[in-house]
Amino acid sequence: MKALIAVIIGASFLIGGCNTVEGAGKDVKAAGQKVEGEAAEHKKY
């Protein structure tokens, strides 16, 4: 799971082309939302 998070965050920086701190924050937020969505899909309870 940690590897997935690292890949998503890394890809968001490369693909997003964040040139500013604001852009970087948006990319990290989007990556976090994707991770949360994946975690919700795989809950076992």
Side-chain angles (χ1 to χ4, degrees):
M1 186 65 173
K2 289 182 182 180
L4 175 64
I5 293 170
V7 169
I8 291 172
I9 291 173
S12 71
F13 284 117
L14 293 174
I15 295 171
C18 54
N19 295 323
T20 64
V21 173
E22 181 181 0
K26 289 179 181 179
D27 288 344
V28 171
K29 181 180 177 183
Q33 289 173 340
K34 295 287 184 183
V35 171
E36 285 180 358
E38 286 293 319
E41 287 180 16
H42 297 288
K43 275 189 177 178
K44 296 185 179 185
Y45 57 90

